[in-house]
Amino acid sequence: MNPTLQGRISHLAISTTSCLCPFLVCLCFIQRCSGASHHVPTKVPSKNQTKLANGETEVHHRPKRGWIWNQFFVLEEHMGPDAQYVGKLHSNSDKGDGSVRYILSGEGAGTIFIIDEVTGDIHATKSLDRERKTHYVLHAQALDRNTEEALEPKSEFIIKVQDINDNAPKFPDGPFVASVPEMSEVGTSVLQVTATDADDPTYGNSARIVYSILQGQPYFSVDPKTGIIRTALANMDREAREHYTVVIQAKDMAGQVGGLSGSTTINITLTDVNDNPPKFPQKNYQLYVPESAQVGKPVGKIKANDEDLGVNADIRYSIINSEGANMFSISADRDTREGIISLKKPLNFERKKTYTLNIEGVNTHVDPRFSYLGSFKDTATLKITVGDVDEAPVFSMDYYIMDVYENSPSGTEVGAVTARDPDSRNSHVRYFLDRKEEGINYFRVDEYSGVIYTTLPLDREDMPWHNITVMASEVDNPSLLSHVPVTVQVLDVNDNPPEIATDEEVIVCESSRPGQVIQTVTAVDKDDFANGQRFSFASPSQLPVNPNFTLKDNEDSTASIIARRRRFNHLTQELYELPIVVWDGGEPSLSGTSTLTLRVCPCQRHGRIRMCQGEAFLSSAGLSTGALIAILLCIVILLVLFITLRRSKKEPLIISEEDIRENVVTYDDEGGGEEDTEAFDIIALRNPAAAEELKFRRDIRPEGRKHCGPPRIHRSPSVELDEVDVHEFIKQKLVEADMDTSVPPYDSLQTYAYEGQGSPTGSISPLDSPGTHSEQDFNYLDDWGPQFQKLAELYGDPESDVTT
């Protein structure tokens, strides 16, 4: 018998053992044995032969396989007392005399699978689990028992573990949680569940699963093949029932009797949709609000109920009638979904005692699928009763502005405030001032009439405005107070005379000419003029005419100071005083006299700007008071050092008699030229008698010298200038120089040259004739600049010596 056929028969015998009677088993066994011993192969052309036309065959000499092995099968989970027969190995070389020895190797050989070396029968000694291992790969050999030569080549075959239904379906991900919107249509998918079965899905129905619902009907259903859970009942309302528990069963063997099963639980929740409109619990409400309620503050609440959740329950409240909307407002609280009613305007019990509010509540998120249910809004009526409260007095105005003239006597009436009791009792009101303010000392208020009076004369120039606070209280209830601000303006009267605005000295340049404007002055007045201040200027009428300056009223509230003569000399007179009378334009007009100080100084011209030399030096240097003190201190120190050195030089040059040497000291001093008036004063040579009267030394600075020019020389008009020979004067000075040891230089040679006297033509120098003057006009020297200023002074106008 062919080994393949033998294996199939053997397998058939094993597989049918449990269902056939013993007789049939014996019949099958006899048939198998007889077939094995009497098998005669039929002469059929094999695959290695070709049948020719004459009936002969052509042999291709391909090796003939001695045996061919197909798969063997063994049932899993075999629980019998004997080893389970798997199959039989047989070779064509086996003559049944026991000369062939069969050998089995591979997976499980010798442990799980054993073979009879003589017959080739294979048995499984252990119970196998297909879910752990589905097949085994083994190798078979047929050897000559005597020679141990291989009768057949080594061959591989597979023993497959045949599945039985020993595993129930399982839900690995359960239990499950799912949700579906309420009011969903029938058949709406909720969730898909999937069960797994460890049995072989390719063999029989062991892994063929069918789903069914054990709990959750009639609300939900499950697809038996796919496991999709769907809604089975229409209009499921979350507000009626929100949570459902569904049990799903999975059964193998296609749901037949005897199949194994497993189950899982699905917790299904209905999610909310806006299918419920808001509803007020009642249609009419009442609320009491005192008239003292503050504007903008909540005065009451109202709420409409909505069975939905989340945004589906959000409500927008509104007051739909004008009477209530003008006085009240309503807003929704997000947390409590209440309507908060607030006051928009102050309540007044005496004017209106009740208000009616028509309030509407509307859902903010409306689902159009449920519009057939009606409008998602509701209305209610709220009646508000205003409560009477004892209120503080009320002033007729929010603030008062009053005025009074300055210098008014004490007790002058300023104005009046008025307050009344807003309550129906109309109690009497009492007035008084707030004592905490500063201006309380200037005013008082009548307790009953509210009239405000002054207590002191007021000065506008001291304080033009006064702010006070008037309080009012009821006589019956003094604890209720009202306040009102009162502003009092002090009106101006013409009680202050005007005065010149500048406090600085007026600088007069020495080169000023007649008719030249020295400075323009203005006036100031502490009083207030509605149309602007107007001033008039004039010189005092009781004083004589000023020969040096005149005053011109420009009729624009300014005046100009004009020089009346040519040239001024600060050596002759440095300061001038000019009194000015100023009138204001008030009613009545007031006047004031101010005196200006004019200082004469040599000036430098820089375009239109004229500055005194001394002041220009200080201002250009930008020195502070501390810097000036430091400079003066340094000068004093230098002078002390200079005097010390000068005294030390008076010691004898030859200290030791043995050290005899001659010293030559050279002094090279060229002098300062025409500008050096201190080093060489030509006035001494002009007249010896006048020079004798001066007698000031060149090396000592004269006292009392002003800052803006050389030292001032006061000449007595009574000194008579006698004709004295210059030769005698020089001799006298030579004797004085020889006798004075402190005059520098100490070692010097003084030489006085004398040409004599008695020239027949006379002297051509103007030094001998100080009283005569040329008729020529030298005023053009003023225009030559500061370099010729000294020359202009020498040939200046003789009127410069005129004083006031």
Side-chain angles (χ1 to χ4, degrees), residues 409-482:
S410 301
T412 301
E413 181 179 344
V414 179
V417 297
T418 304
R420 64 175 184 85
D421 182 11
D423 299 322
S424 57
R425 295 182 300 174
N426 196 15
S427 301
H428 294 288
V429 177
R430 185 173 63 90
Y431 303 93
F432 54 95
L433 296 179
D434 188 356
R435 296 294 175 181
K436 298 179 181 180
E437 297 184 350
E438 296 179 357
I440 190 63
N441 297 329
Y442 298 96
F443 304 95
R444 66 176 181 87
V445 63
D446 187 89
E447 181 179 2
Y448 301 103
S449 63
V451 178
I452 300 174
Y453 300 93
T454 62
T455 57
L456 295 172
L458 304 178
D459 187 0
R460 189 202 67 84
E461 287 72 33
D462 182 29
M463 186 178 295
W465 295 88
H466 293 269
N467 295 315
I468 60 175
T469 300
V470 179
M471 297 188 293
S473 64
E474 297 181 9
V475 176
D476 299 337
N477 190 358
S479 61
L480 296 176
L481 299 176
S482 296

Side-chain angles (χ1 to χ4, degrees), residues 33 53 68 96 184 189 378 396 409 418 463 471 562 583 590 599 740 753 758 761 771:
C33 294
I68 299 176
S184 297
S189 176
D378 195 15
S396 60
T418 304
M463 186 178 295
M471 297 188 293
I562 302 174
W583 288 271
L590 296 180
R599 180 178 296 275
D740 191 354
T761 60

Side-chain angles (χ1 to χ4, degrees), residues 624-645:
S624 63
T625 304
L628 290 175
I629 294 174
I631 292 174
L632 293 176
L633 183 59
C634 292
I635 293 173
V636 171
I637 294 173
L638 291 176
L639 290 176
V640 172
L641 292 176
F642 175 75
I643 295 172
T644 304
L645 292 175

